[in-house]
């Protein structure tokens, strides 16, 4: 980024919304022509393309983060890179994002656990790669071929409530924009639900847990991944129909698995 532009953006950031009128509006929302162009994820919180238009602020897409013009590539490997091995680039197996610093995680543990976790599996690493607040939301392995890197003027911000130009908290502080604190799980996962461990109800041995209805989990949509509990077990980023992207309403979610 040119120094003068960087300074301008910085001054505008300090001024918060004052810069909203400066940056040109992003292009229309586009899905992935190969993966699908009418996915319900479009227009949801995980669709970064066109966020400026939706939020009514011209200060995010292309500035706080790169707008790749492809809503899907913030998680999925773009079609033109199909067959690439993410591990060769430090990426998460199967996803278009870098492996977070796994050694920093403090995982949930308790003497009561039937099955312990040795660390997050790839599908939960995907979520943590944004939600632990350490990596920018636009930090992807492969940018789509249609994106011109010389046009990259973004600040590459993280989901982090800190007040600095690397953090969405610069604006998302509850004043300029909604508070982003709750969206960051951080790296200390001990006060979150345990993840990436085998589901205790699988073997029918622990009466505190209900047996699953089918190999994929439960008939209400709560999903197991290879018999394990992951972030996507309770949430579904592809289905924004329920609050907080939950797979079941809060009253029934816990009792889907916990028998008491
Ligand atoms: C925030 C991350 C994220 C974004 C953005 C995202 N997806 Fe996904 N997608 C996922 C996850 C996680 C799964 C795995 C779901 C599962 O296996 O239960 C998935 C699964 C899929 C699947 C099913 C693949 C399979 O092997 O079963 C398709 C198709 C898909 N996504 C298409 C898209 C399209 C099209 C877009 C853009 C319009 C998109 N996704 C954007 C996270 C994302
Ligand atoms: C997909 C099934 C599933 C769902 C849904 C679920 N849990 Fe769990 N929960 C588990 C499993 C499996 C464990 C780990 C148990 C073990 O291995 O002993 C666990 C552990 C816990 C623990 C730690 C218990 C301990 O012994 O340390 C708490 C607390 C908890 N769950 C609360 C909840 C709450 C609250 C909800 C609803 C928001 C919920 N769970 C939804 C499967 C589930
Ligand atoms: C590319 C970055 C990125 C990835 C990867 C990502 N998220 Fe998010 N997520 C976000 C952003 C940005 C928000 C919106 C934050 C806000 O509203 O302030 C969000 C919001 C959420 C919310 C709250 C939704 C709401 O209505 O407020 C949940 C739940 C969530 N994500 C779960 C997940 C899960 C589960 C995964 C993994 C499958 C995931 N996220 C992967 C960036 C990401
Ligand atoms: C220059 C200030 C500014 C910065 C920096 C900024 N935002 Fe925003 N954002 C806003 C404003 C203003 C809104 C609209 C009001 C609201 O939702 O709080 C908004 C709304 C949103 C929404 C809600 C959009 C919807 O569809 O409901 C999400 C999600 C979001 N921002 C994510 C982010 C993420 C992630 C970052 C950092 C990568 C970020 N923002 C950085 C100002 C900013
Ligand atoms: C056992 C079910 C379960 C699992 C597993 C789970 N969540 Fe959640 N999550 C919930 C529930 C219930 C809420 C809403 C209540 C709350 O905030 O605790 C929630 C809230 C959230 C929120 C929004 C917080 C807010 O108030 O806006 C985010 C972001 C989120 N989860 C991300 C994740 C990520 C990332 C993972 C994996 C590391 C994960 N969740 C694993 C059940 C779960």
């Amino acid at each position: 980024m040119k120094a003068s532009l960087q300074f301008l953006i910085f001054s505008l950031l300090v001024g918060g919304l004052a810069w909203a009128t400066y940056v040109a509006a992003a292009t229309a929302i586009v899905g992935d022509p190969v993966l699908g162009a009418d996915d319900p994820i479009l227009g949801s919180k995980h669709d970064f393309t066109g966020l400026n238009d939706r939020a009514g602020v011209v200060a995010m897409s292309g500035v706080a983060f790169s707008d790749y013009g492809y809503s899907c590539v913030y998680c999925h490997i773009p079609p033109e890179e199909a067959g690439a091995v993410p591990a060769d680039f430090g990426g998460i197996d199967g996803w278009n994002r870098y492996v977070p610093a796994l050694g920093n995680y403090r995982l949930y543990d308790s003497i009561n656990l039937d099955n312990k976790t040795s660390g997050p599996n790839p599908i939960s690493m995907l979520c943590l790669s944004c939600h632990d607040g350490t990596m920018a939301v636009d930090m992807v392995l492969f940018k789509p071929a249609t994106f011109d890197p010389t046009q990259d003027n973004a600040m590459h911000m993280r989901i982090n409530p800190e007040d600095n130009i690397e953090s969405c908290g610069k604006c998302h502080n509850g004043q300029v924009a909604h508070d982003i604190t709750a969206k960051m799980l951080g790296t200390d996962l001990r006060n979150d639900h345990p993840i990436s461990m085998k589901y205790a109800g699988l073997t029918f041995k622990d009466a505190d847990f209900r047996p699953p209805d089918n190999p994929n989990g439960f008939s209400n949509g709560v999903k197991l991944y290879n018999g394990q509990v992951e972030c996507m077990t309770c949430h579904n980023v592809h289905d924004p129909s329920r609050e907080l992207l939950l797979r079941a309403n809060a009253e029934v979610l816990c009792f889907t698995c916990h028998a008491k």
Side-chain angles (χ1 to χ4, degrees):
M1 188 189 303
K2 287 197 197 76
S4 55
L5 180 60
Q6 185 135 31
F7 178 73
L8 179 62
I9 289 177
F10 178 76
S11 330
L12 290 166
L13 265 172
V14 172
L17 280 180
W19 63 333
T21 48
Y22 171 72
V23 186
T27 44
I29 299 172
V30 275
D32 187 303
V34 175
L35 291 169
D38 56 357
D39 195 279
I41 206 167
L42 293 175
S44 77
K45 299 268 169 99
H46 289 104
D47 176 5
F48 295 121
T49 297
L51 192 54
N52 287 348
D53 294 342
R54 297 200 318 275
V57 48
V58 214
M60 284 191 287
S61 318
V63 182
F65 53 85
S66 290
D67 188 340
Y68 297 128
Y70 252 126
S71 301
C72 322
V73 299
Y74 296 89
C75 295
H76 292 283
I77 292 166
E80 63 271 19
E81 298 290 349
V85 180
D88 293 346
F89 305 89
I92 303 170
D93 186 20
W95 301 101
N96 197 26
R97 299 195 57 89
Y98 292 93
V99 175
L102 300 175
N104 291 344
Y105 291 125
R106 305 201 62 183
L107 298 162
Y108 185 93
D109 198 7
S110 138
I111 46 160
N112 299 324
L113 289 182
D114 289 354
N115 299 300
K116 305 215 186 260
T117 171
S118 54
N121 290 320
I123 194 168
S124 291
M125 274 186 213
L126 164 70
C127 315
L128 289 165
S129 75
C130 278
H131 285 282
D132 78 359
T134 66
M135 276 192 277
V137 298
D138 60 2
M139 216 168 132
V140 296
L141 288 186
F142 304 111
K143 297 172 176 127
T146 44
F147 178 70
D148 176 0
T150 64
Q151 298 296 302
D152 182 357
N153 292 326
M155 309 294 289
H156 310 295
M157 290 178 172
R158 311 161 296 165
I159 299 180
N160 195 304
E162 281 172 20
D163 179 13
N164 60 46
I165 53 162
E166 289 179 351
S167 302
C168 310
K170 185 77 215 165
C171 292
H172 284 278
N173 55 7
Q175 287 161 343
V176 178
H178 70 262
D179 192 338
I180 210 159
T181 308
K183 315 292 175 188
M184 179 178 117
L185 276 70
T187 52
D188 187 347
L189 305 174
R190 289 173 302 174
N191 49 11
D192 299 301
H193 195 279
I195 49 152
S196 300
M197 72 294 178
K198 201 163 272 308
Y199 175 54
L202 274 188
T203 51
F204 302 87
K205 275 191 191 132
D206 189 336
D208 292 346
F209 290 90
R210 294 180 205 283
D213 300 325
N214 58 61
N216 288 325
F218 298 88
S219 48
N220 66 0
V222 170
K223 187 169 175 182
L224 298 173
Y225 292 84
N226 298 323
Q228 307 223 357
V229 179
E230 308 289 351
C231 309
M232 280 286 281
T233 293
C234 298
H235 298 283
N236 185 356
V237 294
H238 272 286
D239 178 9
S241 64
R242 268 179 227 91
E243 213 184 322
L244 298 173
L245 315 173
L246 291 171
R247 286 189 182 262
N249 292 331
E251 316 83 69
V252 300
L253 176 64
C254 313
F255 300 111
T256 302
C257 298
H258 293 267
K260 55 167 201 203

